[in-house]
Amino acid sequence: GDLFVEHLFESGLTVIGVDSRVTFTGGAVYASSRGTEPARQFEGTSTCRVTFYAEGAAHPFHLVSEDGSGVYGWVDENAVHLG
């Protein structure tokens, strides 16, 4: 449905949506999907769960870490990868 976004990679079509387990590759984490100033910068990578998706927003994925790293907030699409 409308909660999913489709990414076209060389490997084919991959869908990341709400409840996907993903790898966050680090960088800015925002308090709002349309925020302009990051709430924090995260170093390294983290295994996270997608809890919300804001279609068309600057930072469309809301992530919550599942590995104790403390990621909690909105991030850019290019910092989210399946697996």
Side-chain angles (χ1 to χ4, degrees):
D2 57 0
L3 289 178
F4 291 88
V5 60
E6 294 179 351
H7 296 266
L8 193 59
F9 294 117
E10 290 177 9
S11 59
L13 193 67
T14 306
V15 176
I16 299 176
V18 172
D19 209 39
S20 293
R21 177 177 279 132
V22 297
T23 299
F24 174 51
T25 55
V29 179
Y30 298 83
S32 162
S33 63
R34 301 182 187 281
T36 53
E37 292 294 318
R40 66 179 288 202
Q41 292 286 336
F42 184 81
E43 300 292 329
T45 63
S46 174
T47 301
C48 297
R49 183 76 67 176
V50 177
T51 54
F52 296 99
Y53 172 65
E55 188 172 359
H59 323 293
F61 290 107
H62 188 275
L63 302 183
V64 176
S65 63
E66 294 201 322
D67 58 7
S69 64
V71 173
Y72 185 92
W74 298 90
V75 302
D76 294 345
E77 189 171 339
N78 62 10
V80 177
H81 304 276
L82 272 181

